[in-house]
Amino acid sequence: MAELSLDGVSVSYAGTVALSDVDLDVADGEFFTLVGPSGCGKTTTLRTVAGFETPDSGQVRFGGREMTGVPPEERDVGVVFQNYALFPHMTVAENVGYGLRFHRVDDPEARVAELLSLVDLEGFGERDPTELSGGQQQRVSLARALAPEPDVLLLDEPMSALDARLREELRREVRRIQTELGITTVYVTHDQEEALAVSDRVAVMHDGRVEQVGTPRAVYREPATRFVASFVGENNLFDGEWADGGVRVDGTTFEVAGVAEASGHATLCVRPEHLRRDAAENRFAVTVEQSEFLGEATRVHCDWDGRTVVWRTDGVVPDRGAEVTLGFAPEHGRVL
Ligand code: ATP
């Protein structure tokens, strides 16, 4: 079994806390993504799993086996880093074959050919890495990491040096290969859209801690914290308080469904795509300030008594300065 777990893992670098009491459970064959802003501890988590960092406290386990003290080369992990890290003096085939150096394989040439085919690079074996595009080089890195058939694949921002279109293409390819092999995978990215698109589950990290773990759908629809609500997708966050069975923001009371009523402070979250001009409920008047055409929709920045409200619409966009009444259905309001 190749499930892996982190239990109360903390790591610091000369006084800087990089990870603080991190618990994670990744299931066998799962595509699990660590997502969060720069410096939140994603790479440190990955390096700790790989064995390049030793936790100050806590345990890392592979299939229930404690990994403390086990060096990286004995952990059965394949790692792909951000920079391709290919050997320039070796051919593509030699680079992929390098991954097999500590492993007994009956027919290494056949294995290399099989891996090049898996990453869609048949016939590229004799080329130098310098003769490949960035996306192709990263496929070679992936093939090299997969060569010894590791139990766990770790990918640290493997697409970040590529342009947007290539990134999308390669992430689909990585997901296809991962599904085909059924390999337990931990993927690191700061790009929340990428995380939602490829993962079985994501862990949203912030300041060395895990804020929420869940399926992309759950994390997007039911953010557990203010940070997750604003980091994963766009959101409007209004500070108010519980009153009259809803959330009152200044003088306006908004009705929300499916939430146990409470008292005191409440943060109301409404996604830009849930704001509608024709909504029958929860209406409030805003002034249009700026709009950005996105192709399939337009993002409209509005002012609501000094607060910025983001509204996404595929309908007619009012001119700058226009007064518009927006609203949302009670089931689309989330309260934190
Ligand atoms: P990025 O997306 O920018 O790569 P990250 O989420 O992967 O960021 P980490 O690289 O894990 O974040 O860093 C977590 C924290 O630990 C940061 O505050 C960082 O400055 C610090 N840190 C990381 N590596 C070292 C190091 N070798 N020495 C000192 N501090 C470090």
Side-chain angles (χ1 to χ4, degrees):
M1 288 293 275
E3 76 262 10
L4 70 94
S5 63
L6 278 75
D7 188 5
V9 168
S10 297
V11 175
S12 47
Y13 300 105
T16 307
V17 177
L19 289 186
S20 181
D21 200 18
V22 167
D23 294 330
L24 288 174
D25 286 296
V26 182
D28 187 29
E30 188 171 31
F31 196 113
F32 190 91
T33 299
L34 306 173
V35 65
S38 181
C40 71
K42 306 179 295 290
T43 296
T44 303
T45 307
L46 210 73
R47 288 177 58 80
T48 307
V49 171
F52 299 127
E53 304 293 343
T54 306
D56 302 334
S57 57
Q59 282 91 40
V60 175
R61 293 190 184 87
F62 285 15
R65 183 179 157 219
E66 161 84 59
M67 285 286 129
T68 307
V70 178
E73 62 276 14
E74 287 172 28
R75 288 199 180 196
D76 228 356
V77 294
V79 191
V80 179
F81 296 105
Q82 188 166 337
N83 52 351
Y84 321 125
L86 295 175
F87 303 115
H89 56 284
M90 290 184 186
T91 64
V92 165
E94 285 166 348
N95 265 282
V96 175
Y98 186 80
L100 297 170
R101 69 201 180 285
F102 298 123
H103 295 76
R104 209 175 266 282
V105 177
D106 287 342
D107 187 349
E109 269 180 39
R111 176 78 184 133
V112 168
E114 187 189 320
L115 284 155
L116 287 177
S117 156
L118 181 73
V119 297
D120 225 4
L121 284 178
E122 287 118 327
F124 283 74
E126 293 317 306
R127 289 215 200 170
D128 282 339
T130 50
E131 296 166 349
L132 301 181
S133 70
Q136 289 168 334
Q137 291 186 47
Q138 206 51 315
R139 283 167 198 255
V140 177
S141 305
L142 182 61
R144 184 176 61 185
L146 292 170
E149 298 186 64
D151 281 345
V152 175
L153 179 63
L154 305 176
L155 303 162
D156 190 357
E157 303 252 10
M159 329 281 188
S160 58
L162 308 176
D163 69 52
R165 190 172 286 270
L166 201 54
R167 226 166 36 224
E168 273 185 35
E169 199 182 304
L170 193 60
R171 84 186 183 205
R172 272 197 300 277
E173 192 73 346
V174 166
R175 182 72 228 221
R176 174 188 63 78
I177 292 166
Q178 187 273 339
T179 308
E180 205 170 306
L181 300 178
I183 185 169
T184 307
T185 299
V186 183
Y187 185 83
V188 161
T189 180
H190 61 272
D191 180 343
Q192 51 86 26
E193 193 188 309
E194 187 166 284
L196 297 184
V198 295
S199 319
D200 290 319
R201 285 188 309 149
V202 300
V204 184
M205 297 187 69
H206 182 218
D207 277 348
R209 292 177 184 276
V210 174
E211 294 247 341
Q212 188 173 0
V213 177
T215 62
R217 202 170 282 266
V219 167
Y220 186 84
R221 292 198 175 159
E222 293 148 33
T225 66
R226 200 180 169 95
F227 174 78
V228 176
S230 53
F231 183 78
V232 179
E234 266 188 306
N235 227 329
N236 293 294
L237 270 58
F238 304 128
D239 285 310
E241 60 206 21
W242 285 100
D244 310 326
V247 176
R248 187 159 63 211
V249 182
D250 279 349
T252 311
T253 301
F254 295 100
E255 206 188 313
V256 284
V259 188
E261 198 187 327
S263 58
H265 180 265
T267 302
L268 176 66
C269 311
V270 190
R271 295 277 182 199
E273 66 270 25
H274 289 148
L275 290 172
R276 298 265 156 77
R277 285 180 86 173
D278 58 2
E281 292 145 301
N282 290 332
R283 291 164 67 80
F284 58 108
V286 300
T287 309
V288 172
E289 289 198 318
Q290 204 181 359
S291 56
E292 296 164 279
F293 179 60
L294 305 174
E296 81 289 3
T298 302
R299 181 193 288 125
V300 189
H301 292 259
C302 307
D303 173 81
W304 177 39
D305 292 342
R307 296 176 199 82
T308 298
V309 175
V310 182
W311 164 44
R312 228 179 140 97
T313 178
D314 54 7
V316 177
V317 179
D319 291 337
R320 186 159 183 248
E323 284 254 324
V324 173
T325 300
L326 300 176
F328 61 94
E331 62 269 25
H332 286 143
R334 180 158 178 86
V335 185
L336 296 174

